Amino acid sequence: MLDVLLVRIQPTDLFNERPPNDFKFFPNEKPRAFDIAVSNGGSLQFTVAKAYYLGSEAFVKKDNAITKELGVKYGGHVVAIDKYPNGQFLNGAEVSGNQEYKFSRYEVECRSTPDYHAIILLIPGLELIVLSTLNFACHRPKGYTSSFIAFEKENVLSVKSMLGEVKGIALENCNEHALEPDHKALCYTMSFEKVSLPAVILPKLLETKPQSEGEPHEETNE
């Protein structure tokens, strides 16, 4: 049997009246460390910090193209920063040492090194994504509890697949899978579960096809 970490993103309206008792908002500036419990096993240690970036006119065009591809009006820069870093492209995104910036995003890193054979991201209406790491960036996080990370509905996530491919996820596109997709209190949670799978099943789950940037929106996760 192989140990697999399932990362589930699900819609919820539990913030309609008041948040859970242990809910904490993410900080605007200072980095913060926090733990999230894994169902059926242990916990994960994370840090979150707000990062600032500068981008050229060429980068802004890439940002606009990704935003259009995602089908939203915001957050393309979250993905573009990972796809077009300054270390790889002369006109890519560059970390800003101060707040003279064009773009900002929240960056979440997993400080623990869990011994899982695979990390699989499950999102309503999308094909599963096998992740290379639990590190990700996001547009508008909401906060966290001891059992999940919460995101605003108007959010974009940037994750990396098992082969290092940057994928963009607009949670707004998953609203049709919510009970009341237009509910003002709708948000999304990311929770974690450890499962054990027979060795013959896991390779089938890992059979994912790479997608080019030119593919239409409804056929891509970026």
Side-chain angles (χ1 to χ4, degrees):
M1 301 292 282
L2 301 179
D3 291 332
V4 176
L5 180 66
L6 299 181
V7 183
R8 298 182 184 275
I9 292 182
Q10 298 171 301
T12 180
D13 62 356
L14 58 78
F15 290 89
N16 183 28
E17 296 183 358
R18 61 181 181 180
N21 291 333
D22 63 342
F23 177 78
K24 295 181 180 179
F25 288 99
F26 279 136
N28 284 329
E29 301 300 335
K30 295 182 179 180
R32 177 177 295 175
F34 61 98
D35 295 354
I36 301 291
V38 177
S39 178
N40 299 327
S43 64
L44 299 169
Q45 293 77 49
F46 292 93
T47 57
V48 60
K50 193 171 185 179
Y52 301 92
Y53 291 84
L54 295 172
S56 64
E57 291 185 7
F59 177 82
V60 172
K61 291 182 180 179
K62 293 293 187 180
D63 167 23
N64 292 336
I66 290 175
T67 297
K68 183 177 180 181
E69 184 180 330
L70 290 172
V72 296
K73 298 179 180 179
Y74 54 85
H77 68 280
V78 174
V79 183
I81 288 169
D82 288 326
K83 291 179 72 69
Y84 306 105
N86 182 258
Q88 184 177 353
F89 298 97
L90 292 176
N91 292 314
E94 182 176 8
V95 176
S96 175
N98 52 49
Q99 294 189 18
E100 294 179 3
Y101 61 93
K102 289 186 179 180
F103 306 100
S104 66
R105 67 177 189 170
Y106 285 84
E107 297 176 351
V108 181
E109 296 186 1
C110 184
R111 296 182 288 113
S112 58
T113 54
D115 187 19
Y116 293 105
H117 293 93
I119 304 172
I120 298 178
L121 178 62
L122 303 174
I123 305 172
L126 300 180
E127 294 183 358
L128 63 84
I129 301 174
V130 183
L131 299 176
S132 62
T133 175
L134 278 174
N135 299 346
F136 63 92
C138 55
H139 175 55
R140 290 182 62 193
K142 192 175 185 71
Y144 63 94
T145 71
S146 59
S147 57
F148 61 77
I149 301 173
F151 304 94
E152 300 285 358
K153 178 172 62 175
E154 294 79 13
N155 216 318
V156 168
L157 306 183
S158 177
V159 301
K160 290 186 179 180
S161 73
M162 180 178 61
L163 299 179
E165 181 184 6
V166 177
K167 292 183 174 290
I169 301 163
L171 298 185
E172 183 176 299
N173 296 331
C174 305
N175 285 350
E176 64 185 61
H177 300 278
L179 184 62
E180 297 180 78
D182 296 326
H183 199 297
K184 64 180 182 180
L186 184 69
C187 65
Y188 283 81
T189 62
M190 175 187 286
S191 58
F192 306 90
E193 179 182 0
K194 176 184 177 181
V195 298
S196 295
L197 299 176
V200 295
I201 292 181
L202 186 57
K204 295 182 179 180
L205 294 177
L206 302 184
E207 291 176 357
T208 57
K209 298 180 180 180
Q211 297 174 330
S212 66
E213 294 180 33
E215 292 177 338
H217 167 66
E218 60 270 21
E219 296 181 7
T220 181
N221 289 324
E222 290 186 3

